[in-house]
């Protein structure tokens, strides 16, 4: 046991309770995240998901203050995530950066990875306190500028979305294959590989120094550090009994202790590792204004360190602000074939219950929760082809499977409300898009052979939104149809179609993959104006209020034949 604790580093001996809290938090996060894959084929998936989500995995994402605050600011709306993020920030009054030291699963994974590297990598560590230590402020400034003008960047770099997305796309397919067979695993996309590579890259930064990501690059930590500098009521103090052994400075993985053993408030996470290794108990975490029996610090050294930190932080903030302004300015301009903002002529099939595209992009933190929770795996992360702003946002791609009628998991798993948590009955009627038949490739429509796969599957799903029509009928000399000629081709009824994609999935599976008769599915779900139901928060609340008014009138036996005051809603 002693050898294991020694391998894990001095921090485990110094602050065992914090390490236990870290492991418990990481374990709970992993259990909740990967338990979302259950069950895959049960008709009671929604009921079971509700039963096991007393504390949902979205709570961890909502505790990331940067992701919560930036998404709410981008969308100009109040969310549950915003409230939880504010609570986490307020907890920093007593324990500065408690999220970084005790809660963040990414930080715990980094600690474990750094411990696995051993001491042989320390010779390659970069010096602490250099300009790269302040890059996190530049990233934070870029995110803040984007949020002010409605450009959501927090989900790309904030700690919790980054680790959730990486695990969902790196480990999720392995879990799905082991539990339900490898035939149920959709092919990995470039965006999934990129998410997994980004998380691996964050861990590999440990080769440059302990907690390198947290110290130098993490914008969530930068936000918590700024709050700790200004709003903390507790502080790390060193008493006059200090013997200058330097153990505390060597133990601190956040670079929060100066050469004279004073504290950098923006870097200190109250992990208390330094207090645990102090041989004379000279370090205490007390009230900020408690200065009794304090060590006489070298004033010039402390002042110079503080002045240098402030200068580098200001420069980083200015550079990040300039980068954010540049990103906003280039939002609609193609640069080397890439766009930052989404092109206006691109209409993506979003999950049922998604907000209008501008609000959706502002609130979505690109975490991948909805993709993990989707039992049929119809939801897939999109790459940067539609614009960097859309990277890693969910898109319904029905080539693999269609959206199930007994499931509303995506809305339940969304941490910010970008996908509304629709009641199951409403979700079944919510339009994601509309199926469109390509008559040039459809087997019966093009006159090649009989096929009714889409009609049968749509009827099985309970929508009956596709019916047959006779095509390619030969006429006799009197312009009368010749019996036995022609084909029964599918015709989509727009008023019944909800865009679930069951038709597209069966056509792709049979005619494309199995029989190889087509190069792509001949019936495809398309989004766009008039093809989807995407109400804003305001319109949705107005609709719910109108429905409640109608139910109340019916309960009181009031004549409701006159029109109710229902506001106009967008298509």
């Amino acid at each position: 046991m002693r050898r294991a604790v020694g391998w894990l580093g001095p921090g485990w001996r110094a602050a065992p309770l914090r390490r236990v809290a870290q492991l418990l938090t990481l374990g709970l996060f992993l259990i909740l995240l990967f338990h979302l894959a259950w069950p895959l084929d049960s008709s009671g998936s929604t009921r079971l998901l509700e039963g096991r989500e007393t504390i949902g995995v979205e709570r961890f994402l909502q505790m990331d203050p940067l992701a919560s605050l930036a998404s709410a600011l981008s969308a100009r709306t109040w969310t549950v995530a915003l409230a939880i993020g504010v609570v986490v920030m307020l907890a920093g009054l007593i324990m500065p950066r408690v999220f970084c030291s005790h809660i963040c699963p990414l930080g715990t994974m980094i600690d474990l990875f750094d411990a696995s590297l051993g001491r042989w990598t320390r010779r390659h560590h970069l010096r602490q306190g250099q300009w790269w230590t302040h890059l996190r402020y530049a990233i934070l400034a870029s995110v803040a500028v984007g949020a002010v003008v409605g450009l959501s960047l927090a989900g790309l770099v904030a700690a919790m979305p980054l680790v959730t997305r990486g695990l969902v796309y790196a480990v999720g397919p392995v879990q799905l294959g082991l539990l339900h067979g490898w035939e149920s695993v959709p092919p990995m996309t470039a965006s999934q590989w990129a998410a997994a590579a980004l998380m691996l890259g964050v861990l590999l930064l440990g080769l440059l120094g302990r907690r390198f990501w947290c110290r130098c690059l993490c914008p969530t930590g930068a936000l918590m550090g700024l709050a700790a500098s200004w709003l903390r009521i507790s502080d790390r103090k060193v008493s006059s009994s200090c013997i200058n052994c330097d153990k505390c400075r060597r133990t601190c993985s956040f670079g929060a202790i100066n050469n004279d053993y004073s504290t950098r408030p923006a870097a200190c996470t109250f992990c208390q590792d330094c207090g645990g290794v102090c041989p004379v108990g000279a370090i205490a975490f007390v009230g900020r204004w408690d200065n009794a029996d304090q060590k006489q610090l070298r004033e010039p050294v402390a002042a110079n360190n503080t002045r240098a930190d402030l200068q580098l932080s200001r420069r980083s903030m200015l550079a990040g602000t300039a980068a954010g302004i540049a990103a906003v300015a280039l939002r609609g301009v193609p640069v080397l074939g890439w766009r930052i903002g989404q092109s206006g002529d691109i209409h993506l099939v979003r999950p049922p219950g998604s907000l209008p595209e501008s609000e959706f992009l502002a609130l979505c933190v690109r975490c991948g929760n909805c993709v993990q929770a989707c039992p049929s795996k119809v939801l897939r992360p999109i790459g940067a082809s539609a614009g960097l702003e859309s990277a890693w946002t969910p898109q319904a791609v029905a080539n693999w499977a269609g959206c199930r009628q007994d499931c509303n998991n995506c809305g339940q798993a969304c941490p910010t409300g970008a996908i509304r948590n629709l009641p199951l009955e409403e979700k079944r009627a919510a339009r994601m898009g509309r199926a469109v038949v390509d008559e040039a490739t459809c087997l019966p429509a093009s006159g090649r052979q009989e096929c009714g796969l889409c009609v049968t599957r749509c009827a099985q799903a309970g929508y009956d939104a596709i019916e047959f029509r006779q095509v390619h009928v030969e006429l006799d000399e009197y312009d009368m149809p010749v019996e036995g000629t022609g084909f029964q081709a599918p015709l989509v009824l727009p008023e019944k179609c909800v865009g679930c994609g069951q038709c597209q999935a069966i056509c792709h599976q049979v005619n494309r993959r199995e029989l190889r008769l087509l190069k792509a599915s001949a019936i495809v779900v398309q989004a766009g104006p008039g093809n989807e139901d995407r109400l804003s928060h305001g319109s949705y609340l107005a609709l719910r209020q109108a429905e409640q008014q109608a139910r109340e009138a019916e309960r009181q036996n009031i004549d409701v034949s006159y029109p109710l005051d229902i506001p106009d809603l967008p298509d």
Side-chain angles (χ1 to χ4, degrees):
M1 181 66 180
R2 182 176 299 178
R3 180 178 299 178
V5 172
W7 172 77
L8 290 172
W12 291 82
R13 295 190 298 269
L17 292 180
R18 179 177 80 92
R19 300 301 187 175
V20 170
Q22 281 185 290
L23 290 178
L24 290 177
T25 303
L26 176 62
L28 178 61
F29 169 73
L30 293 176
I31 289 172
L32 290 173
L33 178 62
F34 292 112
H35 204 37
L36 283 175
W38 287 83
L40 188 68
D41 299 316
S42 170
S43 60
S45 61
T46 302
R47 183 173 63 256
L48 291 174
L49 181 64
E50 290 175 346
R52 69 168 178 265
E53 276 210 336
T54 304
I55 302 177
V57 70
E58 70 274 11
R59 294 289 180 259
F60 281 92
L61 285 149
Q62 291 167 344
M63 284 191 290
D64 187 313
L66 178 62
S68 302
L69 297 175
S71 61
L73 178 60
S74 299
R76 309 293 193 271
T77 187
W78 173 270
T79 64
V80 174
L82 174 60
I84 296 177
V86 170
V87 170
V88 173
M89 293 288 290
L90 292 176
L93 291 172
I94 302 173
M95 291 189 64
R97 295 187 62 177
V98 63
F99 176 81
C100 303
S101 60
H102 289 73
I103 300 173
C104 180
L106 181 58
T108 305
M109 293 173 62
I110 291 174
D111 276 340
L112 293 172
F113 185 82
D114 290 349
S116 68
L117 292 177
R119 297 182 179 179
W120 66 273
T121 61
R122 292 185 182 178
R123 70 186 67 175
H124 305 294
H125 287 182
L126 299 179
R127 290 179 57 191
Q128 296 187 7
Q130 302 301 308
W131 62 268
W132 50 78
T133 306
H134 300 268
L135 287 175
R136 63 188 188 274
Y137 295 114
I139 299 174
L140 175 62
S142 300
V143 171
V145 171
V148 169
V149 299
L151 178 62
S152 180
L153 300 174
L156 304 178
V157 292
M160 283 306 307
L162 190 151
V163 67
T164 304
R165 180 173 61 240
L167 289 173
V168 164
Y169 299 141
V171 184
V174 178
Q175 180 205 19
L176 184 63
L178 293 175
L179 293 179
H180 303 290
W182 296 103
E183 68 280 355
S184 62
V185 181
M188 289 277 286
T189 63
S191 58
Q192 289 176 291
W193 286 112
L198 179 59
M199 192 187 72
L200 178 60
V202 167
L203 297 178
L204 290 176
L205 288 173
L207 295 171
L208 304 179
R210 290 183 299 163
R211 285 262 190 167
F212 190 88
W213 164 262
C214 306
R215 288 189 294 109
C216 304
L217 299 175
C218 180
T220 300
L223 177 63
M224 297 292 290
L226 290 177
S229 298
W230 299 330
L231 304 176
R232 72 189 188 284
I233 61 175
S234 301
D235 210 347
R236 172 186 175 273
K237 302 289 185 178
V238 183
S239 72
S240 58
S241 61
C242 173
I243 60 175
N244 301 330
C245 66
D246 209 39
K247 288 185 177 180
C248 58
R249 217 166 56 85
R250 293 197 303 267
T251 299
C252 181
S253 58
F254 286 90
I257 304 176
N258 292 313
N259 293 335
D260 62 348
Y261 309 115
S262 61
T263 308
R264 290 186 171 97
C268 182
T269 64
F270 262 50
C271 66
Q272 305 189 28
D273 287 357
C274 56
V277 299
C278 181
V280 294
I283 299 174
F285 295 84
V286 294
R288 183 176 180 178
W289 296 274
D290 184 359
N291 295 317
D293 190 31
Q294 292 301 297
K295 176 181 175 66
Q296 293 298 318
L297 302 176
R298 287 175 282 173
E299 296 290 344
V301 174
N304 290 337
N305 286 335
T306 301
R307 191 178 300 111
D309 283 349
L310 290 175
Q311 289 176 351
L312 287 172
S313 298
R314 291 193 191 102
R315 292 173 185 172
S316 299
M317 294 287 282
L318 290 174
T321 302
I325 293 174
V328 172
L330 297 173
R331 192 174 185 180
V333 180
V335 179
L336 299 178
W338 297 87
R339 287 179 179 268
I340 294 176
Q342 189 181 107
S343 177
D345 57 352
I346 294 179
H347 300 287
L348 304 173
V349 182
R350 297 298 190 183
S354 296
L355 297 179
E357 191 68 10
S358 59
E359 294 182 49
F360 179 86
L361 290 175
L363 279 175
C364 178
V365 293
R366 287 83 172 159
C367 61
N369 260 5
C370 55
V371 177
Q372 176 73 357
C374 181
S376 60
K377 301 307 174 188
V378 65
L379 296 183
R380 309 282 282 160
I382 190 172
S385 58
L388 296 177
E389 188 179 9
S390 297
W392 290 315
T393 58
Q395 175 188 18
V397 181
N399 283 338
W400 187 260
C403 183
R404 288 173 45 164
Q405 291 72 46
D406 62 343
C407 169
N408 61 351
N409 294 359
C410 54
Q412 296 185 49
C414 182
T416 61
I419 307 172
R420 289 184 287 112
N421 186 9
L422 299 176
L424 193 57
E425 295 76 14
E426 185 177 344
K427 181 266 175 184
R428 289 173 179 153
R431 293 183 300 163
M432 302 165 59
R434 180 168 64 89
V436 177
V437 178
D438 184 356
E439 297 187 357
T441 60
C442 176
L443 297 177
S446 61
R448 295 171 59 185
Q449 66 180 58
E450 295 284 353
C451 178
L453 292 172
C454 57
V455 178
T456 303
R457 179 60 64 88
C458 187
Q460 291 173 347
Y463 290 110
D464 293 314
I466 308 177
E467 62 182 18
F468 283 120
R469 62 187 177 95
Q470 199 74 12
V471 297
H472 296 288
V473 178
E474 296 181 10
L475 303 177
D476 59 16
E477 54 185 321
Y478 303 105
D479 290 332
M480 297 297 293
V482 177
E483 185 177 355
T485 62
F487 296 95
Q488 291 279 319
L491 175 67
V492 178
L493 306 178
E495 67 277 5
K496 291 186 176 182
C497 180
V498 298
C500 68
Q502 297 286 352
C503 53
Q504 179 178 337
I506 191 64
C507 183
H508 190 273
Q509 176 184 346
V510 176
N511 293 329
R512 166 67 180 89
R513 289 200 316 226
E514 295 179 6
L515 302 180
R516 300 184 181 277
L517 297 174
L518 301 174
K519 294 183 178 180
S521 176
I523 183 169
V524 178
V525 176
Q526 296 180 357
N531 290 349
E532 53 190 359
D533 297 326
R534 300 182 66 173
L535 299 179
S536 65
H537 273 301
S539 298
Y540 182 72
L541 292 176
L543 180 61
R544 295 283 77 82
Q545 184 179 3
E547 291 178 349
Q548 184 178 2
Q549 179 184 358
R551 287 194 297 269
E552 182 66 20
E554 183 179 0
R555 187 180 65 83
Q556 297 180 5
N557 295 322
I558 297 176
D559 182 12
V560 293
S561 58
Y562 58 87
L564 293 173
D565 185 17
I566 300 178
D568 294 333
L569 300 175
D571 290 334

